[in-house]
Amino acid sequence: DEQFSELLSRPGLRIERIVSTGQASPDGFWYDQAESEWVALLQGEAKLRFADEAEARHLRAGDFIDIAAHRRHRVDWTPPDQTTLWLAVFYTA
């Protein structure tokens, strides 16, 4: 199972460590969050898809992205044979 660990939480700010080992968002599921999310891929790789883009973005270790609140997105793929480590910072503007 994918592991989520809350590292810090303050009003308007939450930092999580996410460990994926082959997980992806369920078919038809889209994240639509009330808060913005800055996410960095620290280890491994993933394919992140946005509802408003035709192609998924292939992220590798060292890549990061800022996702605006309510921008629909999903994880299409993480490799099952390696650990993908994310650092996610959720914030309100």
Side-chain angles (χ1 to χ4, degrees):
D1 287 346
E2 201 165 35
Q3 299 172 13
F4 297 84
S5 301
E6 188 174 280
L7 303 177
L8 177 71
S9 182
R10 300 283 186 271
L13 175 72
R14 181 170 40 94
I15 301 174
E16 286 186 352
R17 177 180 185 259
I18 305 166
V19 180
S20 305
T21 51
Q23 288 82 13
S25 300
D27 287 339
F29 173 83
W30 294 92
Y31 289 99
D32 185 355
Q33 302 161 169
E35 57 210 342
S36 296
E37 178 183 1
W38 180 89
V39 64
L41 203 62
L42 303 179
Q43 176 183 313
E45 54 185 315
K47 289 188 180 175
L48 185 63
R49 179 177 301 276
F50 291 92
D52 61 352
E53 294 182 3
E55 299 289 325
R57 297 185 190 194
H58 191 158
L59 304 177
R60 293 173 180 84
D63 290 340
F64 58 90
I65 190 164
D66 191 40
I67 305 169
H70 296 292
R71 186 170 185 203
R72 293 179 43 186
H73 63 285
R74 56 179 279 111
V75 177
D76 273 0
W77 168 84
T78 61
D81 60 341
Q82 63 179 301
T83 299
T84 299
L85 179 60
W86 312 76
L87 181 65
V89 179
F90 301 90
Y91 63 96
T92 55

